[in-house]
Amino acid sequence: MDFSAELVQWYQKNKRALPWRDTANAYVIWLSEIILQQTRVEQGMPYFYRFLEKYPDVISFAAAHEDEILKLWQGLGYYSRGRNMLKTARQVVGQYGGEFPVAYTELIKLKGIGGYTAAAISSFSSDEPRAVVDGNVYRVLARYFGIEEPINSNKGKKLFQQVADEVLDKDHAGLHNQAVMEFGAMLCKPKNPDCAVCPLRNGCYALQHNKVSILPQKLKTVKIRERFFNYFLITDGDTLLMNKRGEEDIWANMYDLPLIETAGYLTPQEIMNMPATAAAFGKNIVMVGASRPKKHILTHQHIHAQFIQIEPAGGEIKYQSGWLRTGIKNLKNMAMPKIIFLFLNNFFNL
DNA sequence: AAACCGGGGCT
DNA sequence: AGCCCAGGTTT
């Protein structure tokens, strides 16, 4: 038996009796699908009943006031779903004569209906062969077929939709779609799936390769640090003060300039007034120039750098670890981050 | 591609 | 505390 047939057989034996199943009424299916977006069945169920009782068809829904919809939606979260539903209901009444669309290409045009919901409504109401891809489908496909592409990358989304379309039973699209999702929700759960009793265990890549717990893969959004580097340009004849960076941070072991990092942006004058500046370079220093802030973008960090030229270069400087005086003619042999090289190259005409 | 939207259950 | 839920819209 193939993938789809196994799932459907499992589904027919184990499915929950849910009030929006066994209906072809696109309005009712739409109501349930919007409510169930990012929402557990148990949480959405009472709302579904309340909405259906108060608005038994799209005509009555479209006639509601937004305040009434939002009040009935209260506690469910993602309140734009309720507002979008009202827009869509009114559009269905105005443009489709109150006949809720069942074609994917029409449904996808409506507010609050994306690819998943359009596929769900069209397949459930008219068996249009469109594969649904939701959180459950990602999980089932990733595990069974061993797909390691992250589900939240553009490449991954395309790939999973493609695989879902390939395994779809096009003659029984609605049944197939419901089966995959129910299977993902009830058996192939995110944590502690019931692999021991799974009808697909023999063909499951993740189970055979001990990868159930790591699939599906998801790209975690790396938070970008905003950092503010205040560099000091201190020349003395044909030399300048440089800094060899340590092992820990970005640009490890490369050269930049003496640096005071701040938590946020400060103007050059504010930097000059900081006690840390006087402590490093002496009390009698004077700012003789400053660059505009420059932004340098790294994968995980945005560096906001500015260059402040100070004088005199006298003996008050307390050399910190890594600082060294270098001949300007040596600069061309020193490895520097691009933002430093660009500045020095421009300043000294290297 | 990432931010934003939300309450609630599970581990 | 972090992940996930029958995702979609906006920037």
Side-chain angles (χ1 to χ4, degrees):
Chain A
M1 214 168 8
D2 72 356
F3 180 74
S4 178
E6 285 284 9
L7 281 177
V8 168
Q9 188 179 76
W10 177 91
Y11 173 70
Q12 285 170 330
K13 196 182 302 181
N14 298 283
K15 68 176 174 182
R16 293 167 289 185
L18 300 178
W20 45 84
R21 286 185 175 149
D22 309 316
T23 177
N25 185 326
Y27 166 72
V28 177
I29 295 169
W30 166 70
L31 190 56
S32 71
E33 288 302 335
I34 303 297
I35 287 175
L36 291 173
Q37 284 171 3
Q38 295 293 289
T39 304
R40 292 169 189 283
V41 166
E42 302 72 35
Q43 189 189 0
M45 187 96 73
Y47 288 85
F48 172 78
Y49 283 124
R50 274 178 244 150
F51 269 93
L52 194 57
E53 183 172 6
K54 188 160 182 184
Y55 310 113
D57 50 50
V58 70
I59 307 282
S60 54
F61 198 111
H65 288 282
E66 187 174 273
D67 287 348
E68 300 174 319
I69 300 296
L70 290 176
K71 183 60 185 173
L72 208 51
W73 201 271
Q74 183 178 277
L76 199 52
Y78 285 126
Y79 296 95
S80 63
R81 289 184 291 175
R83 295 195 299 273
N84 286 336
M85 282 184 95
L86 188 53
K87 289 178 195 163
T88 284
R90 289 176 177 171
Q91 195 174 348
V92 168
V93 170
Q95 295 179 19
Y96 296 88
E99 193 79 14
F100 212 98
V102 297
Y104 180 95
T105 52
E106 296 301 317
L107 290 163
I108 195 72
K109 298 175 185 170
L110 299 170
K111 265 295 187 196
I113 298 183
Y116 161 78
T117 305
I121 298 175
S122 62
S123 69
F124 296 165
S125 65
S126 69
D127 261 333
E128 186 176 330
R130 298 277 185 172
V132 295
V133 180
D134 73 338
N136 294 306
V137 179
Y138 280 128
R139 192 165 54 252
V140 173
L141 296 181
R143 286 174 175 168
Y144 186 80
F145 294 107
I147 305 172
E148 311 211 2
E149 198 67 34
I151 63 174
N152 57 343
S153 68
N154 278 348
K155 197 174 164 191
K157 285 177 193 167
K158 269 189 191 172
L159 177 60
F160 278 91
Q161 182 69 58
Q162 185 183 328
V163 174
D165 286 330
E166 281 170 18
V167 301
L168 173 68
D169 180 349
K170 295 177 178 55
D171 297 324
H172 310 280
L175 187 59
H176 170 100
N177 280 337
Q178 301 238 34
V180 187
M181 290 193 288
E182 186 77 342
F183 179 80
M186 304 295 290
L187 191 151
C188 196
K189 298 170 289 185
K191 307 284 181 190
N192 305 325
D194 303 329
C195 299
V197 298
C198 177
L200 292 173
R201 63 185 176 283
N202 289 330
C204 180
Y205 178 94
L207 186 59
Q208 316 293 340
H209 295 81
N210 198 22
K211 289 189 173 181
V212 173
S213 63
I214 65 161
L215 288 175
Q217 293 257 261
K218 197 170 180 180
L219 237 44
K220 47 180 146 190
T221 54
V222 277
K223 203 179 162 197
I224 293 175
R225 286 172 70 192
E226 303 288 337
R227 304 180 69 181
F228 299 84
F229 286 5
N230 305 282
Y231 282 116
F232 292 86
L233 180 65
I234 304 161
T235 58
D236 186 358
D238 57 356
T239 68
L240 90 155
L241 198 57
M242 295 289 286
N243 172 53
K244 185 175 169 72
R245 298 181 59 83
E247 301 270 6
E248 303 300 306
D249 207 347
I250 56 170
W251 305 326
N253 298 336
M254 295 174 71
Y255 292 91
D256 60 359
L257 298 169
L259 160 67
I260 293 181
E261 182 173 359
T262 52
Y265 177 74
L266 296 174
T267 64
Q269 192 55 57
E270 287 171 325
I271 297 294
M272 293 300 292
N273 293 339
M274 293 196 313
T277 303
F281 305 109
K283 294 191 180 72
N284 298 323
I285 54 171
V286 176
M287 176 170 69
V288 297
S291 76
R292 304 186 67 83
K294 301 169 190 304
K295 190 167 180 178
H296 186 70
I297 297 178
L298 305 174
T299 307
H300 305 288
Q301 306 185 25
H302 289 176
I303 308 297
H304 305 261
Q306 62 184 348
F307 298 87
I308 303 171
Q309 186 178 12
I310 57 174
E311 284 178 351
E316 285 191 71
I317 293 177
K318 192 177 158 197
Y319 274 59
Q320 297 181 15
S321 170
W323 290 7
L324 65 156
R325 190 155 285 284
T326 309
I328 292 169
K329 63 177 174 10
N330 291 334
L331 290 176
K332 64 179 185 298
N333 296 322
M334 301 170 73
M336 290 172 264
K338 190 158 186 175
I339 190 171
I340 302 297
F341 179 77
L342 285 176
F343 172 76
L344 293 178
N345 192 33
N346 182 54
F347 193 88
F348 293 113
N349 282 318
L350 296 180

